[in-house]
Amino acid sequence: MSIQQRTGSRLSRLAAHLRPSGIREFFDLVVGMDEVISLGVGEPDFPTPWRICDAVIQSLREGATSYTPNRGMVELRIEIARYLEDRYGVSYDPHEQILVTVGVSEAVDLAMRCLLDPGDEVLVPDPCYVSYAPCVELAYGVPVTVRTRLEDQFRLMPAPMAAACTQRTRALLFGNPSNPTGAVMRREHLAELARVAIEHDLLVVADEIYAELTYDGHHVCLAALPGMYERTLLLNGFSKADAMTGWRIGYACGPAEIIEAMTKMHAYTTMCVPIMAQIAAIEALRNGEADRARMIGEYDQRRRIIVNGLNRIGLECFEPMGAFYAFPSIAATGLTSAQFAKALLLDQRVAVVPGIAFGAAGEGHVRCSYASSIADLRAALARMETFLGRLRAGEVEVPQ
Amino acid sequence: MREQILQILSTEGRAPAEDIAERLGLAPGQVAEAIADMERDGTILGYRALVDWSAADIERVFAFILVEGTPEHGVGFDRLAQHIARFDEVHSLHLTSGSADLTVVVEGTDFRDIARFVAEKLAPSPGVSGTATSFVLKTYKLDGKLLGEPAAVRRLAVSP
């Protein structure tokens, strides 16, 4: 009897059991509809700044289409090191401690596969980005959620983090600033996490892709804190701050031993990040500051509009200080987040992502992205206000 | 604060003060007052619709005239520039570096109209020693706006 006959499936158990993300399901609903204002978008509405595209077009004319070193072009790694040093005061050796990856997505995947033995546990916040727990599972690890609360502005707190640690806990994987909540952990908050990480000898994988999108204050890299440099993998990239989501490029920085291991794996599975994306990234680092500042200034304005607007129409929303998401509470409506999102979509053609898609602690909330024009945000808020009125009046058909 | 307000108004001339205030996290009264001050002191010269005349199918022609002039003692080109600027046909006027001294943007109903203005009014102005006229044949970008803008980038409706 073959394995196929014994297990009844061509697929591995892992593949067969991997759940599609809750976002995927909602996406299918939205895609068929016209005239939807979507606040469910996790990427900038700006195209990549033209100077970056222009640099890549020029490089194509010059025939830059080959493989690069596995770790990434040395010019890019040098620029990354310089940027991190100048902007955040963290120093990494571009030759030993930086790996250019296919987005932060690939960096998370590689990190998990390099750090975990089967059954090892990884702490992840709840709610958190949809890929964290699945990436832990894909590495045969066990994700252990640590609940975050509205009362703490959805910051990861040291007490529940410590309580979740066991003999098998290897690492913490978290995002700062956070998708979906927009929560930002400042130096004092990170210092408390650091204490727990050091005490339990954890490695921390810090997804800082939204670092530049920090409002009212400067982002602090976890790796900059005392005792954390040697136990932190700093992940960052270009998707959000430079509007380069489609280019699929990011990077991991950390202890040489870990970066070396990740590079080995990356060399086998990916070879290298596309050269065009790397050239784009070099241009972004060398000349992208003004464009970044312009876009982030826009996001900040939109942030104020959406947070004021949500509070004004009765969806209580704490002020998010990072990323481009608001995470209002829909508890007052008595609906689940999935019901709310579906009903709002069908009744008023506004798409928001149900909080449950990001974890059990996301229930009672929805994620509203403000990476859209001010006109769209105002129109969406008006429609949401109409929806809430109709809901209160019993005029909305609530889905199961 | 002024710079931020001007940044918005220079691209969105009709943005209300309350809207600007909300976006910048300022008090509406503060913003309204700042705008009024800037209108009074000439920082804000006015509000205009940015029009693509060709799209409106209305005949408007523009030309760039490079003017060589004779600078005057004590005032340089100021007197000449102020004289030329007062013509209604003159849309914009700048003192520029390079081969010309003044760069004049002239607006007219057709090419002959502009040519007549240059020959009869501009070139003979006292102090003008030479002119070179370039007519605008086609405009691709105007005051920061791309004309005939391609359709907006289509993002996935929902993404993580």
Side-chain angles (χ1 to χ4, degrees), chain A residues 38 42-43 179 301 304 378, chain B residues 19 22-23 155 157 159-160:
Chain A
S38 180
E43 62 175 329
N179 175 4
Q301 292 183 24
R304 295 191 180 99
R378 292 215 184 278
Chain B
D19 178 60
E22 185 175 33
R23 285 157 66 170
R155 301 181 289 174
S159 46

Side-chain angles (χ1 to χ4, degrees), chain A residues 281-302:
Chain A
I282 291 169
E283 180 63 25
L285 287 169
R286 285 184 180 156
N287 297 307
E289 194 174 339
D291 286 312
R292 283 194 290 276
R294 171 182 54 84
M295 290 188 278
I296 291 160
E298 291 278 332
Y299 293 136
D300 198 8
Q301 292 183 24
R302 295 157 173 193

Side-chain angles (χ1 to χ4, degrees), chain A residues 86-156:
Chain A
D86 290 348
R87 193 102 175 91
Y88 301 117
V90 282
S91 287
Y92 289 103
D93 180 340
H95 304 286
E96 309 273 307
Q97 293 185 280
I98 299 181
L99 171 64
V100 180
T101 56
V102 181
V104 167
S105 298
E106 193 210 355
V108 171
D109 182 40
L110 288 174
M112 292 303 109
R113 288 193 284 138
C114 283
L115 296 172
L116 306 179
D117 287 318
D120 284 349
E121 294 173 4
V122 176
L123 306 180
V124 297
D126 183 0
C128 73
Y129 183 62
V130 299
S131 298
Y132 295 167
C135 279
V136 173
E137 288 169 344
L138 286 174
Y140 299 97
V142 176
V144 174
T145 53
V146 180
R147 199 190 167 94
T148 60
R149 304 176 317 157
L150 176 58
E151 296 87 328
D152 302 315
Q153 313 238 294
F154 290 104
R155 293 185 180 121
L156 191 54

Side-chain angles (χ1 to χ4, degrees), chain B residues 34-156:
Chain B
I35 293 174
D37 284 346
M38 289 191 285
E39 287 169 356
R40 256 193 306 271
D41 70 25
T43 304
I44 294 177
L45 296 165
Y47 302 89
R48 300 281 186 276
L50 184 62
V51 180
D52 177 1
W53 294 105
S54 60
D57 217 26
I58 296 174
E59 179 114 45
R60 289 276 175 111
V61 177
F62 289 83
F64 287 90
I65 326 270
L66 303 181
V67 174
E68 272 175 34
T70 313
E72 292 161 49
H73 184 73
V75 296
F77 292 99
D78 286 357
R79 190 211 54 80
L80 176 61
Q82 277 150 16
H83 178 89
I84 295 173
R86 295 169 92 112
F87 288 109
D88 286 337
E89 294 88 338
V90 171
H91 190 260
S92 311
L93 193 156
H94 311 279
L95 177 70
T96 47
S97 66
S99 52
D101 302 305
L102 298 176
T103 301
V104 186
V105 180
V106 168
E107 184 184 338
T109 48
D110 55 47
F111 294 112
R112 291 177 68 163
D113 189 36
I114 293 183
R116 195 167 38 238
F117 169 73
V118 175
E120 292 175 8
K121 296 280 165 55
L122 183 54
S125 291
V128 173
S129 47
T131 62
T133 301
S134 300
F135 289 101
V136 172
L137 300 177
K138 184 173 174 177
T139 299
Y140 296 94
K141 190 172 187 180
L142 190 60
D143 285 358
K145 280 292 271 182
L146 286 167
L147 268 52
E149 188 124 17
V153 172
R154 306 285 311 292
R155 301 181 289 174
L156 295 180

Side-chain angles (χ1 to χ4, degrees), chain A residues 4 6 28 42 87 101 125 130 153 188 215 221 291 305 312 354:
Chain A
Q4 149 75 3
R6 253 184 284 132
D28 292 335
R87 193 102 175 91
T101 56
V130 299
Q153 313 238 294
E188 59 269 28
Y215 312 104
C221 289
D291 286 312
I305 289 183
R312 195 168 48 233

